[in-house]
Amino acid sequence: VSKNELDWFHQDLETQVKKWQQEKKENQENLKALRNTAKKHTDTNDRYSKTIDEKKKQYNVCLNEFLETSNKFAYDKVKLEELIKKSEGDCQECVKRAVEAEV
């Protein structure tokens, strides 16, 4: 009886070992798939980060160009306003002299 029981236990043990080996193999395959997925996500994230950095640089270049242009136009506007005021003063002076000349 004990020989038969020992054989049964041995068969059960072999069955369990095969089952565990199969589970181990499946787990390793799942782990490999998860690692590949994680690597793909990391690569995608790196690509997006580089793209964001490039776009940020382009944005800063455009922003600086806009600010320079805006400052230049503001300076030109101030100069033109000063010239207009001066011209208006000159015009009023000419009108005054013309009226005096008529008198």
Side-chain angles (χ1 to χ4, degrees):
V1 172
S2 60
K3 171 83 169 140
N4 285 339
E5 288 177 356
L6 184 61
D7 288 341
W8 290 339
F9 285 130
H10 192 268
Q11 285 177 345
D12 284 346
L13 178 63
E14 286 180 8
T15 304
Q16 282 289 16
V17 167
K18 286 181 183 180
K19 181 179 171 185
W20 290 338
Q21 286 174 343
Q22 182 63 31
E23 288 177 4
K24 179 181 175 183
K25 182 179 177 184
E26 290 171 2
N27 288 338
Q28 287 175 336
E29 290 172 358
N30 287 337
L31 180 62
K32 184 177 179 181
L34 288 172
R35 283 183 179 156
N36 287 338
T37 302
K39 179 155 177 33
K40 287 178 186 176
H41 289 308
T42 301
D43 292 345
T44 301
N45 189 34
D46 290 344
R47 262 194 341 269
Y48 287 152
S49 293
K50 288 178 184 177
T51 301
I52 288 169
D53 289 343
E54 289 173 9
K55 296 291 182 184
K56 193 173 183 180
K57 287 177 185 176
Q58 291 173 356
Y59 168 79
N60 286 332
V61 166
C62 291
L63 179 63
N64 289 337
E65 184 178 317
F66 167 77
L67 291 175
E68 287 175 15
T69 303
S70 177
N71 289 339
K72 181 182 177 221
F73 284 141
Y75 176 75
D76 289 346
K77 179 183 174 187
V78 169
K79 277 178 76 174
L80 288 173
E81 287 174 347
E82 289 173 359
L83 287 173
I84 289 170
K85 285 180 184 178
K86 182 181 176 197
S87 295
E88 286 175 348
D90 291 346
C91 181
Q92 288 176 357
E93 189 177 315
C94 287
V95 168
K96 184 180 175 183
R97 282 192 332 210
V99 168
E100 288 176 0
E102 285 179 10
V103 171

